Amino acid sequence: MEKQWFTISVYSENNVGLLNRISGIFLKRHINIESLNVSKSEIENVSKFTIVINATEDWTRKIVGQIEKQIEVIKAFYHTDDETIYQESALFKIASGLLFDERQIQNIIKDSNSQIVTVSRDFFVLAKSGRRHEIDEMHKLLEPFGIMQFVRSGRIAVTKSEMQITALLEEFQEQ
């Protein structure tokens, strides 16, 4: 099997140490976590981990099985990029003089559908949301002008199909 991108969604109780144990599962298998985001989910008192890896489906299935063995984990799922709708966000800090002196910077901002978050005497900050390759492209365009700081968020994703987690929790609560 060949490697591809997978988004793993983990629904869990919010307990100390779970993130460490989950990351240990990837470490043991020498699989790099490309992106990680943890937030509250659509279900009250349940957290959602969104983890992106580049692996075979077989390895991904085994990892999800290991994650589900953690006591606090309610359910874990994995999906291909085609099965999800996803975004990342990035912030670019750039010298202020460029905003006014370089017409090309203004074109990059307009063409990339990015937003100016703040402008000060010394710098301005751009925000860009989109797919990883869109942020990578904007980084490549801005790099020759000098990027003072750059940060990118982890992937956030929802599935195109209905997630079965809500139905599972409702059944569990009825018992």
Side-chain angles (χ1 to χ4, degrees):
M1 282 204 249
E2 75 179 55
K3 287 184 173 184
Q4 61 179 320
W5 293 104
F6 288 98
T7 301
I8 299 172
S9 300
V10 180
Y11 289 85
S12 72
E13 299 172 21
N14 190 7
N15 288 354
V16 174
L18 179 59
L19 177 58
N20 194 30
R21 290 194 308 278
I22 287 175
S23 64
I25 292 168
F26 293 91
L27 178 65
K28 287 179 199 171
R29 287 159 185 77
H30 301 283
I31 293 179
N32 190 39
I33 295 174
E34 297 291 332
S35 171
L36 172 66
N37 183 59
V38 183
S39 68
K40 69 181 198 175
S41 72
E42 65 275 18
I43 304 154
E44 191 175 338
N45 298 321
V46 174
S47 294
K48 181 181 179 186
F49 291 69
T50 304
I51 304 166
V52 178
I53 62 170
N54 190 1
T56 65
E57 185 169 5
D58 187 50
W59 273 109
T60 304
R61 187 180 311 107
K62 288 175 184 174
I63 288 168
V64 167
Q66 288 295 307
I67 290 171
E68 285 189 327
K69 290 181 181 178
Q70 302 300 309
I71 292 171
E72 303 93 331
V73 172
I74 299 163
K75 186 71 178 160
F77 304 89
Y78 70 92
H79 302 281
T80 63
D81 283 357
D82 291 339
E83 298 169 327
T84 60
I85 299 163
Y86 60 92
Q87 293 269 295
E88 293 182 11
S89 294
L91 295 175
F92 299 84
K93 181 178 172 183
I94 301 170
S96 284
L98 295 170
L99 182 59
F100 305 106
D101 299 338
E102 290 289 340
R103 182 89 177 139
Q104 194 173 354
I105 293 276
Q106 295 171 20
N107 291 336
I108 292 169
I109 294 168
K110 187 180 80 172
D111 294 343
S112 67
N113 294 317
S114 58
Q115 296 178 326
I116 298 174
V117 176
T118 190
V119 178
S120 75
R121 181 180 315 272
D122 300 323
F123 64 87
F124 69 101
V125 176
L126 294 174
K128 170 69 179 149
S129 292
R131 299 232 171 172
R132 183 176 199 94
H133 70 88
E134 295 170 330
I135 293 170
D136 288 343
E137 178 64 25
M138 187 168 167
H139 189 279
K140 189 171 89 177
L141 292 171
L142 291 172
E143 203 166 30
F145 298 100
I147 298 170
M148 296 168 72
Q149 288 183 36
F150 171 76
V151 65
R152 165 188 263 143
S153 73
R155 176 181 287 191
I156 55 173
V158 294
T159 59
K160 291 179 181 177
S161 62
E162 181 183 350
M163 288 291 279
Q164 300 301 317
I165 187 69
T166 305
L168 286 170
L169 284 175
E170 287 172 359
E171 284 179 32
F172 180 75
Q173 289 175 345
E174 289 173 5
Q175 295 176 357

